[in-house]
Amino acid sequence: MGKSFILVGGFPKPIGGVTTFVRRLAASDKRIDEVVDIYFDKDKEIPLNYLGRYKRLNNKLFGFLYLFFRMVVWRNKYIHFNFSNMNSLVFFLFFPKLSTKWILMFHHGALETCIPPYILRYLLRRFDYIYCMNNQQFNAYRMHGIVTSKLVKASSYIKPTICSPDIKFQQEIDSYFSSKPTFIASGYPTLIYNFDWCVRFIKDRKEYQLALFIYGEGSEKIRFEEQLKQYENIRVYWDQREDNFNYALMNSFYYIRPNARDSFGIAVADAVNFNVKVLASDVC
């Protein structure tokens, strides 16, 4: 009998590196027995071709208790934990580890945490395999004393499945994109995505236009909502489904990603696969 996997992460929403990876992996790998969703949004996009068990957690306390007791029950499983923040590791001070293998993957390029170094080393050593998305992560784990035999250099990129946008959204994009060559940028409303640079780049180039796909909450959300209304050649799309974004992306003129910090950059890889030109900062 082959290996079976439990994915701990989540399905969109929210859309991000973790949820996009988990959604695509669950849709493409038949070895996934269960997905445990640690994101509390109720509006979820479960892949139609995923046939395994799905458990959405409602809050942190219930989530901790569910995972704790499932750790006792699971046998001969590979549990693949997907996080964006190293502070999530604090729960592993309490989780029992019996007859399972633990896999860890962080989907954010910078490994930062407030966990004391000696506790962090102990927590990281509990995992059987740690996937590294880049050399920066690999070197950080080595600095924490993790042996190279546990470190696996791996990509978080999985090609998207067939694109099925909402009909109304597709019609709107077709109409908007047909008027001028359209640049696309995407991310969360925080400073690291440098949306101000995107706006400055486009606003005075009247022969072009910009479609901004912005997700979730962030320090700059209110300012963006007010500021971006004044530009005729800039349009904002909030919290769109992955299929909607991918439809816009594959029909765009350029994808721009001037991030100050990034992990893998799934949208960049998708753009390349869609034969869309990319203008990006070198921080992945």
Side-chain angles (χ1 to χ4, degrees):
M1 185 175 180
K3 298 176 183 177
S4 59
F5 290 80
I6 310 294
L7 286 181
V8 178
F11 290 139
K13 297 177 179 178
I15 290 179
V18 171
T19 55
T20 299
F21 172 79
V22 170
R23 180 176 184 261
R24 294 181 183 184
L25 183 59
S28 61
D29 194 331
K30 302 304 181 185
R31 297 174 300 171
I32 308 301
D33 280 352
E34 180 173 350
V35 172
V36 180
D37 198 324
I38 58 177
Y39 294 91
F40 306 140
D41 293 61
K42 294 182 180 180
D43 185 13
K44 293 291 182 177
E45 293 183 45
I46 301 175
L48 294 177
N49 51 344
Y50 171 63
L51 302 178
R53 176 184 171 91
Y54 172 69
K55 182 65 178 180
R56 183 178 66 84
L57 307 181
N58 297 318
N59 56 64
K60 289 184 179 180
L61 176 60
F62 176 75
F64 171 79
L65 293 175
Y66 178 83
L67 283 172
F68 183 93
F69 287 109
R70 293 296 287 173
M71 295 288 185
V72 177
V73 174
W74 283 325
R75 291 287 187 273
N76 302 316
K77 301 284 188 183
Y78 285 76
I79 310 176
H80 186 175
F81 297 95
N82 297 272
F83 302 123
S84 59
N85 190 314
M86 288 195 83
N87 292 332
S88 303
L89 290 177
V90 70
F91 294 105
F92 292 85
L93 286 169
F94 310 101
F95 287 153
K97 187 170 187 240
L98 302 177
S99 58
T100 56
K101 297 287 188 181
W102 288 3
I103 302 169
L104 176 65
M105 189 172 196
F106 284 106
H107 294 256
H108 197 287
L111 300 179
E112 301 171 345
T113 180
C114 60
I115 299 174
Y118 66 95
I119 296 179
L120 181 61
R121 283 193 293 272
Y122 164 74
L123 293 172
L124 290 173
R125 288 171 182 172
R126 297 197 71 194
F127 291 88
D128 298 279
Y129 304 101
I130 301 177
Y131 289 171
C132 307
M133 294 171 56
N134 51 43
N135 288 330
Q136 182 183 5
Q137 286 191 348
F138 182 88
N139 293 333
Y141 290 128
R142 290 293 294 128
M143 287 180 62
H144 288 298
I146 306 304
V147 296
T148 56
S149 59
K150 286 190 173 186
L151 300 178
V152 180
K153 291 188 177 182
S155 170
S156 65
Y157 183 66
I158 300 171
K159 290 183 179 181
T161 53
I162 297 173
C163 185
S164 302
D166 299 330
I167 294 177
K168 185 177 180 180
F169 176 85
Q170 181 177 344
Q171 292 171 343
E172 181 179 345
I173 289 296
D174 290 344
S175 174
Y176 182 53
F177 283 27
S178 65
S179 59
K180 296 178 183 178
T182 305
F183 288 76
I184 279 186
S186 63
Y188 286 82
T190 61
L191 291 174
I192 68 169
Y193 287 91
N194 284 326
F195 288 134
D196 285 338
W197 184 93
C198 300
V199 171
R200 291 195 304 271
F201 180 74
I202 293 294
K203 67 177 183 178
D204 296 324
R205 293 176 166 88
K206 301 302 183 182
E207 69 274 25
Y208 300 115
Q209 58 190 13
L210 173 66
L212 282 175
F213 285 77
I214 305 180
Y215 299 92
E217 303 296 324
S219 58
E220 301 295 297
K221 182 173 183 177
I222 295 177
R223 184 173 69 86
F224 286 152
E225 287 177 330
E226 294 301 320
Q227 176 188 358
L228 297 176
K229 293 177 182 178
Q230 60 184 296
Y231 303 114
E232 294 183 358
N233 61 338
I234 298 176
R235 188 173 293 185
V236 181
Y237 297 90
W238 295 95
D239 298 314
Q240 291 295 323
R241 296 173 51 235
E242 180 187 350
D243 282 356
N244 286 353
F245 171 73
N246 283 343
Y247 181 80
L249 180 62
M250 67 175 59
N251 287 283
S252 64
F253 177 59
Y254 253 93
Y255 179 69
I256 50 178
R257 194 169 179 95
N259 285 32
R261 190 168 64 184
D262 212 338
S263 51
F264 177 77
I266 292 175
V268 172
D270 283 343
V272 172
N273 270 314
F274 294 148
N275 293 316
V276 173
K277 297 176 182 179
V278 176
L279 177 64
S281 55
D282 186 17
V283 295
C284 292

